[in-house]
Amino acid sequence: MFKIQHAEFIAPGIKRFVIEAPRIARKQQPGQFVILRLYEQGERIPLTIERSDPERGTINIVVQSIGKTTNLLNSLETGDSILDIVGPLGKPSEIEKFGTVVVMGGGVGTAMAYPTAAALKRAGNRVISIVGARSKDLVIEENEMRAVSDALMITTDDGTYADKGFVTDKLRQLIDNGTRIDLVLAVGPIPMMRAVADMTRKEHIRTIVSLNPIMIDGTGMCGGCRVLVDGKSEFACVDGPEFDAHRIDFAVLVQRTSMYRAAEQQSMEDFRREHDSLLARIRAEQQEAECALQGGGR
Amino acid sequence: MTQTVNKSLNPLPLKERMKVPRQPMPEQPPLLRAANFGEVNLGYSEELARQEAARCLECAKPICVNDCPVGVKVKEFVQLIVAGDFMGAAAKIREDNVLPAITGRVCPQEDHCEGGCLMGKKVTPLGIGYLERFVADYEQQHMDPKDIKKAPPSGKKVAIVGSGPSGLTAAGDLVQKGHEVHVFEALHELGGVLVYGIPEFRLPKQIIREQIDYMRAMGVQFETNVVVGKTVTINELMEGEGYDAVFIGTGAGLPQFMGIPGEHFNGVYSANEFLTRINLMHAYEFPKYDEPMVDFRGKDVAVIGGGNTALDAIRSALRLGARKAYVLYRRSEAEMPARKEEVKHAKQEGIEFHMLTAPVEFLADDKGWLKAARCVRMELGEPDASGRRRPVTIAGSEFDLPLSVAVIAIGTSANPLIQSTTPGLATNKRNYIEADVMTQRTSRRGVFAGGDIVTGSATVILAMGAGRRAAKSIHEYLTTGSW
Ligand SMILES: Cc1cc2nc3c(=O)[nH]c(=O)nc-3n(C[C@H](O)[C@H](O)[C@H](O)COP(=O)(O)OP(=O)(O)OC[C@H]3O[C@@H](n4cnc5c(N)ncnc54)[C@H](O)[C@@H]3O)c2cc1C
Ligand code: FES
C-alpha cells in the first residue's frame, strides 16, 4: 500500500499525486517511470515520475484521465492509497552537456518532459522549451518549465492561450531562424512525436522521444512493450522508454498500442456505470490492508 | 514431529502388489474441462490414496529417494499413508520439501522418483506425485497454523531475491534455522513462474497462496514490488540494510523471440506475456478483471514450442474459446520436453499436434493483425549438441497456416538486471550467474544463487533443490563466518 500524501487537479482531467514510496524516491532519475495497480482486479499501467523527494520519501506522478484505470486513479484523493507501485523502471534520460536542447511537451507529456528538462539545464545546456496543449486550461507546468528554461514557448491548438498552433510550428520557426539545435527531446502523443521526428530527420538533428507502449511487468519479462528500432525488437521498459526518434517505427507503435481498443472501450463503459462501486471497493481494500498492517500482517 | 516406521503395516503381500495397476487420478472429463479453468486433476480420496500407497514395494534401497532432487523420503511417507497417518506423512515430506502441494502437481515425476520405481518395470510406477499431492492437500485442510513452530532467532538477516520455487525453498529452510528472512519480489504477487506462468487448471493460485501463508506463519517476511537492481541493489541490501547474506533466485524470465519477419504483428505473443496476462492478471476473467486479452472465440491459435510452457499456453487458448488450437514443434513428439501427463491431457482436450513443423514468417492483414504463419516441414538429421536429432528443413515444404494468434514458447534466457548492477558477480557467456554446484556460492562473498538464473530454464524441483543447497551453505556461512 502506498499512501497518497496529496492529490490535486492541475487542469481539467489532469491530476498530480504526491505518493509515499521511499524506496523509489531514493533511486529515481529523470526519465524513469513506475507501474501501478489500484486494486485486486486492476490492470498494471506505466506512469512517468515527474519528480521525487528522497528526504520526504515521496514521488510525484501526473495523470490524465483517459481509460478506466487513469479515470479511477484520478478519483482518488489525499489520504487514499494505491495498492501496488513498482519502480523506478526504465533507463534514466541521457544527461550531459549537449549545447542547445529543445524540450517539447505535448499535453500531459509536459509533466514527463519536465524532470529531464530540469536535469539538462543543471548539466549546463541552453534549454529552449516548447509546451503545447489543446487549449488554455490544459496548459500545465508552465511555471515549472519556465524555471528550468532559457526560453519558453507555448502553443494551444485553438489559440485560447499564447500562440495558436502546434509545437512543431515553433520548432519549424527555430530551425528556419537558423537556431543551432544540438538535441530535441519530445514527449507527448504519438502523432506529435512522429511529426517532430519527421521534421528533425530532414535537418539531421538528434531527437529523443519517450515511448509509452502497453506494458505489464516493466522488467523485460513479457516482451509486450516491444517496439521496432531499426527493424529490430527492443523492449521499451528496459531498453527505453527513451529512444532515438529517427530509428523508431511509429506505424508499428500505433498498431501495437491499438491492440486492445475494443476491450478498453468496454472497460471505460463499465467504469462509467460502476464508478461509485469501484471506488468503494478500492477504499474497502485499503482499509482491509491497513487493518492487516496494524495486526502485523503482510 | 519425526516418526520412524520400523515394520511394514502393509497388509498386501509383495507378490500381490506387483499385480495391481496404479489407481487412476480422478479428473474432469476432457470436453468439460476444455471449457473451464478449473483444475484438471481432482486428487485422490483417502481410500484411493491408501490403496495406491499399498502398492509400494518398500525397497531396501529405494531408488525413488535417490532420484528426487530434494531427497523426499518417499518410502517412509508412503508407509505412513498406508498406516493412515496422513499428518505424519505430511510432516515427513516437509522435512525435505517445503512446497509439497506444488511439486505433487507439477514435478516431472517420470524423470525423477517415478522414473526408477521398480513397479514401473512390472506394471506402472507407484503414483508418488499423486500421493504427495494427496498428503499436502490433506495437511492443508487439517492443520492448525498454531502448530507451526518458530525457531529461536539467530540474529542474522538474509535477503532472498525472487519468490519462485528456489527462493521460497531457501526462505523456508533458513527461517527454520532462526534466521530473519526477507523475500523481495518484483511483481505484485508471490510465487514466480508458479503464479505468472503455470495456469489455474494445473496449479490453482489458491494452493500457492496457502503455501506462502504457511511460510509467513513460519516467520518469513515478504516485500512485493521491489525490483532488485532498480528499486534497490544487492550492495545496498548488504551495506545499507544490514543483510548478512543474499540468495538470488530470479529465474530465467526473459522471453526469446524467433527473429523471423512479422513478430511485431498484433496477435503474436511471447508465451510469457500471454500467460502473464491470463494468469497473473486474470485476463481470462475480463471484464471482471481489467487486464484485456484478444478475443479467442472462434479463432485459430497456434503455439510454437514443445515444453510445458507451450502446452500451458495452448490449453489456455482452448479454454478461452479458440476454434482450432495447434502445437507447432520443430522436432518430433519423442523430443518434446513437456511432462508426459500434460501431453496426454492436451491431446484428450483436442489440441492438434503438428510435429516437425516450424514457422518462418508471420503474415498480417493491412491493419497489422496476424492472419497466417508461413511454415515449413522438417525432418530429423544428425544429433546436435543437446544430443537430440537436429531438425532440418525439407526443401519446398512451405505452406501457410491461417491463424489469428500465435504464441512463441521457444524458451527464455537470463534477465540481466541484477548481473549488470552487482559489481564482481561472475556470469557465464549466456549471462547466467555462475554458482558452485554444491554450495550455490557466487563469486561475491555472502551472495548465493540458484534455480533457473544459474541453470537456465529447468524445473520446479531442480530450482527447489538449489534453494535447499543454498540454504544449507548460507547457514554454514552465517554460523562459521568462513567463505
Ligand atoms: C509456463 C511454464 C510452465 C512450467 N511448467 C513446469 C512444470 O510443470 N513442472 C516443472 O517442474 N517446471 C515447470 N516449469 C519450469 C519452472 O516453473 C521453473 O523452472 C521454476 O519456476 C524456476 O524457479 P526459480 O525459483 O528459479 O525462478 P522463477 O520461478 O522464475 O521465479 C523468479 C522470481 O524472481 C522474480 N524476479 C526476477 N527478477 C527480479 C529482480 N530483479 N528483483 C526481484 N525479483 C525478481 C520474478 O518476478 C519471479 O517471481 C514451467 C515454466 C513455465 C514458464
Ligand atoms: S513490460 Fe513486459 S517486457 Fe516490458
Side-chain angles (χ1 to χ4, degrees), chain B residues 212-274:
Chain B
I212 284 169
D213 285 343
Y214 192 102
M215 302 189 69
R216 269 208 188 94
M218 293 198 298
V220 177
Q221 300 183 49
F222 292 95
E223 193 175 335
T224 50
N225 299 315
V226 176
V227 183
V228 174
K230 284 281 179 192
T231 316
V232 65
T233 62
I234 302 270
N235 283 4
E236 286 163 346
L237 285 173
M238 299 186 81
E239 283 149 28
E241 302 194 20
Y243 286 95
D244 301 293
V246 176
F247 173 75
I248 305 172
T250 47
L254 221 60
Q256 277 173 17
F257 286 91
M258 305 178 76
I260 62 175
E263 277 182 312
H264 58 274
F265 289 136
N266 291 359
V268 181
Y269 288 93
S270 77
N272 273 5
E273 180 185 0
F274 185 88

Side-chain angles (χ1 to χ4, degrees), chain A residues 17 39 66 74 81 90 120 186 195 258 268 274 284:
Chain A
F17 294 87
Y39 61 122
I66 298 172
N74 281 354
S81 301
L120 286 167
S258 71
M268 204 42 219
E274 298 164 8

